[in-house]
Amino acid sequence: METARFTYKVNDHITIYDDLRGGQYYRTFAASKATCDTTCGNNYFNGDPAAALVARSGPVGAGNGTGPGTYMAPLPYEQKSWSVQNVASMVANFNTGFLRHQLVAGFDIERVNDVRSQSTYLNAKPYASLVNPDPYVGNLDLVPGDSNPAGLVSLGSLHAKSHSSGYGFDTGLFLFDQIWLTKWLSVKGGFRWDRWQTSYNLTGGDVAKNPDSHFHDVSGVFNPNVSLVATPDDHQTYYFTWASSTTPMGMYVTNGSVPIRPGTNSFASPEKSQLYELGAKYSLFHDRIGATASVFRLDKGNTINADPVTGEVQGSSDRQRNQGLELSVGGIILPGWNVTATYALYDSDTTYSATKANRGKNVQYVPHNQATLWSVYNAFAHTPYNISFGGGITWRQHVWLNTANTLRAPANLDFSAVISHRFDKHWKVSMNGYNLANRLNYQSLFSNRATPSAGRMFLGEVSFTY
């Protein structure tokens, strides 16, 4: 990935910026998606852990271990992607009468492109012991998907296809103007208009049985926003913001093995959000301590759901709301002693769903409460004997994994610590300790499972800055 930046100061009032970024990558991807079914769970928890078998792929478990194994998803694939984005803007500072303005205007052009080829295995992945898995699976005989159409995985209405290609092309125009009505009171408003062009194609496999699919959509979206900002002095700020945003499915063409699925809505139906936020920022003790507080409400329509493993993105007709309170405070308590604390209270629910039983349920992955506390003390700074040490706590209440609120990941509580020493302005050595209580936490959350995070762990690091 390469980035080029250009800045030109026309005069004391106008400056022009242009950022150009391009990137490409190639990837060969293969993974195992272990499944421990009811038989596996019963064997593990009810007296015979050695008999607990997992399937290495697919939604079907190993049961009692009969059969050769599994062939199912995720299937391996080769991916070729590239993207180009150019953002040009102008910042102008000027006055109209007694009003002071800062105007930002420009355009944003982006293109992402993705081509994939699925492969299949001719030999099944053998079942594995849950408590003593054998990493050797033997020769699975990997072949291109077109040479073994029967081995391709059917993806619902998209069927079983061996090749996919897609692109997203966005042309955006934006204009924002902040106007100071008085020295301490300003209003900021503007908009962004986008023309989204999205395409996704599925080809290959058994075309006679599963015809090729082609999706294409062009749409324009208009997203306004406005803020009222009050800064009585250099130490305090109060604001109210209303903003609208749109996230189209078509810009996910580089995600996962199956980046786009129509779901219950038409292809590329965007996710639309409305944000209302009221907040304040305040600095204390000669700006050594900073505190923030905000209350907000976020409403989403046609919620987009993404699988964190496969990257599969699927639209829905669901409408969701998340509202709550966020607090933070941080800064230098005493010379060399830095403390940061945050707390968030969230009240989320699904306000509408095509599945009536899901209405009123909590939004998946959103906790009701979460908090962090982190403190580091730097002793003997700027001396050969300098040492920094500290630690903190991260806590997250339980979260629901699915929209029906029938699967739940328990609360996370993590104690971590760090100690470091700097030899000079270039060299630094440090040791980090994570999950010091060796607690069973869950870091990776999915719609039907959760992955335990690492137990007690120490990580040493030597860094050189130049």
Side-chain angles (χ1 to χ4, degrees):
M1 179 175 289
E2 300 293 336
T3 302
R5 290 181 171 175
F6 171 79
T7 303
Y8 177 65
K9 187 174 182 180
V10 179
N11 52 43
D12 291 339
H13 305 286
I14 300 175
T15 304
I16 295 174
Y17 303 89
D18 190 86
D19 291 349
L20 174 64
R21 171 172 290 179
Q24 63 178 352
Y25 64 90
Y26 304 90
R27 179 169 67 163
T28 300
F29 179 86
S32 294
K33 183 178 179 180
T35 302
C36 181
D37 58 10
T38 302
T39 302
C40 171
N42 288 338
N43 287 335
Y44 180 79
F45 290 106
N46 296 326
D48 193 9
L53 299 177
V54 297
R56 297 178 190 263
S57 61
V60 180
N64 291 318
T66 59
T70 53
Y71 295 83
M72 300 294 288
L75 290 177
Y77 62 87
E78 291 187 355
Q79 175 184 9
K80 298 179 181 180
S81 301
W82 59 265
S83 64
V84 175
Q85 183 177 19
N86 189 88
V87 181
S89 62
M90 178 195 69
V91 179
N93 295 280
F94 59 93
N95 295 327
T96 56
F98 68 94
L99 300 176
R100 181 165 67 92
H101 297 255
Q102 184 177 75
L103 180 72
V104 179
F107 64 86
D108 181 0
I109 298 177
E110 180 181 15
R111 166 89 181 213
V112 293
N113 199 79
D114 187 68
V115 177
R116 312 207 178 191
S117 296
Q118 295 279 345
S119 299
T120 65
Y121 298 116
L122 294 182
N123 299 324
K125 293 181 181 179
Y127 299 129
S129 166
L130 177 63
V131 296
N132 188 26
D134 182 359
Y136 182 71
V137 297
N139 180 16
L140 298 179
D141 202 354
L142 184 68
V143 297
D146 279 335
S147 66
N148 181 33
L152 295 169
V153 176
S154 179
L155 300 172
S157 61
L158 300 182
H159 308 298
K161 309 301 289 183
S162 57
H163 301 285
S164 65
S165 64
Y167 71 86
F169 183 63
D170 171 39
T171 303
L173 302 174
F174 55 88
L175 174 67
F176 303 99
D177 189 12
Q178 185 169 5
I179 306 172
W180 280 262
L181 306 176
T182 67
K183 184 178 180 180
W184 58 271
L185 182 64
S186 65
V187 59
K188 183 177 181 179
F191 68 89
R192 177 174 173 126
W193 175 84
D194 289 271
R195 179 185 181 272
W196 301 102
Q197 182 174 327
T198 54
S199 179
Y200 188 54
N201 307 286
L202 289 160
T203 59
D206 189 346
V207 180
K209 181 179 179 181
N210 301 313
D212 293 343
S213 299
H214 303 277
F215 303 98
H216 186 75
D217 186 78
V218 178
S219 61
V221 294
F222 181 79
N223 293 308
N225 65 73
V226 63
S227 300
L228 183 66
V229 183
T231 53
D233 54 46
D234 293 337
H235 308 291
Q236 52 185 323
T237 300
Y238 307 93
Y239 66 91
F240 172 77
T241 295
W242 169 79
S244 173
S245 63
T246 305
T247 304
M249 288 179 62
M251 298 309 290
Y252 288 96
V253 294
T254 60
N255 284 25
S257 59
V258 189
I260 301 173
R261 294 182 67 179
T264 56
N265 278 358
S266 62
F267 169 71
S269 295
E271 176 186 85
K272 295 185 177 181
S273 302
Q274 302 284 331
L275 172 66
Y276 308 85
E277 184 173 343
L278 178 66
K281 301 178 181 179
Y282 203 86
S283 59
L284 307 164
F285 306 110
H286 303 287
D287 296 333
R288 295 203 315 269
I289 304 295
T292 67
S294 65
V295 291
F296 72 93
R297 170 177 287 182
L298 177 64
D299 291 319
K300 286 186 177 182
N302 187 38
T303 304
I304 291 176
N305 299 318
D307 188 303
V309 171
T310 65
E312 174 182 321
V313 178
Q314 184 169 356
S316 73
S317 59
D318 290 359
R319 294 194 294 268
Q320 297 176 344
R321 169 173 293 169
N322 187 24
Q323 56 190 3
L325 167 71
E326 294 181 336
L327 304 173
S328 70
V329 61
I332 302 173
I333 303 298
L334 293 173
W337 185 12
N338 192 292
V339 177
T340 302
T342 67
Y343 169 73
L345 170 67
Y346 299 126
D347 177 23
S348 67
D349 70 288
T350 300
T351 56
Y352 173 81
S353 175
T355 304
K356 292 184 178 180
N358 292 346
R359 299 175 187 176
K361 303 292 186 179
N362 293 119
V363 177
Q364 60 188 133
Y365 312 135
V366 178
H368 187 52
N369 292 276
Q370 66 180 25
T372 63
L373 175 63
W374 185 259
S375 177
V376 174
Y377 182 69
N378 186 10
F380 313 113
H382 311 297
T383 72
Y385 315 103
N386 70 88
I387 184 172
S388 296
F389 56 90
I393 302 173
T394 300
W395 171 69
R396 185 208 68 213
Q397 199 173 357
H398 69 264
V399 296
W400 296 102
L401 302 182
N402 57 349
T403 53
N405 289 182
T406 58
L407 302 173
R408 189 178 77 169
N412 268 13
L413 183 61
D414 180 273
F415 298 91
S416 299
V418 62
I419 184 170
S420 67
H421 170 71
R422 184 174 291 279
F423 292 97
D424 52 35
K425 64 180 181 179
H426 299 293
W427 288 96
K428 179 182 177 182
V429 60
S430 63
M431 174 66 73
N432 292 269
Y434 302 96
N435 195 9
L436 298 178
N438 203 32
R439 177 184 168 89
L440 177 58
N441 291 322
Y442 294 90
Q443 184 175 21
S444 300
L445 306 177
F446 312 102
S447 59
N448 61 353
R449 63 197 185 279
T451 302
S453 57
R456 185 184 297 114
M457 180 176 64
F458 297 92
L459 179 64
E461 181 180 89
V462 177
S463 60
F464 177 73
T465 304
Y466 62 93

